[in-house]
């Protein structure tokens, strides 16, 4: 991937996240990380390629190289000793639109559909295959950046 193509994709995905934060949707993530326990929730975030690249960049910025193995069914980006997300500022769209009940439940799709479409456009431009499970999507993105 050309550097300018990567930069453009990162900027567009971050713009989508910033716009989501401006939406008048009442939700409050308390960073309880219950939604990061995929085995318990039965729900695993799926990322478009642009989201995966943003997450991978955030992960690399922590000084880490390889995605940790996740043997306990939780997100590999959840730091086990602190219980915090390693990439909170760069967390994927699904982690922001809260399937978490404590944060207020999932956002109504029709209120964020335009943002989903923008992420899909970035995915298409990057030759992505649509949303993929977080582990595989971020591992592949790490190999690309
Ligand atoms: S990316 Fe962060 S917020 Fe999202 S599930 Fe993983 S640890 Fe939780």
């Amino acid at each position: 991937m050309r550097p300018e193509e990567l930069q453009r994709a990162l900027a567009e995905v971050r713009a989508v996240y910033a716009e989501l934060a401006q939406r008048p949707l009442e939700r409050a993530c308390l960073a309880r990380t219950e939604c990061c326990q995929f085995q318990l929730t039965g729900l695993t975030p799926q990322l478009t390629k642009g989201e995966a690249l943003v997450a991978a960049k955030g992960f690399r910025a922590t000084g880490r190289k390889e995605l940790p193995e996740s043997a306990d069914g939780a997100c590999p980006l959840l730091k086990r000793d602190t219980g915090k997300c390693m990439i909170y500022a760069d967390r994927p769209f699904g982690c922001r639109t809260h399937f978490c009940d404590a944060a207020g439940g999932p956002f109504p799709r029709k209120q964020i559909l335009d943002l989903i479409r923008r992420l899909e456009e970035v995915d298409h431009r990057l030759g992505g295959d649509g949303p993929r499970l977080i582990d595989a999507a971020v591992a592949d993105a790490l190999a690309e950046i």
Side-chain angles (χ1 to χ4, degrees), residues 33 35-38 45 75-79 84-88 90-92 94-95 99 134:
T33 68
C35 62
C36 313
Q37 310 287 341
F38 307 152
C75 179
L77 296 162
L78 183 67
K79 202 160 182 290
K84 293 197 164 132
C85 175
M86 293 181 210
I87 58 155
Y88 193 74
D90 290 314
R91 69 198 187 285
C95 305
F99 41 84
I134 188 167

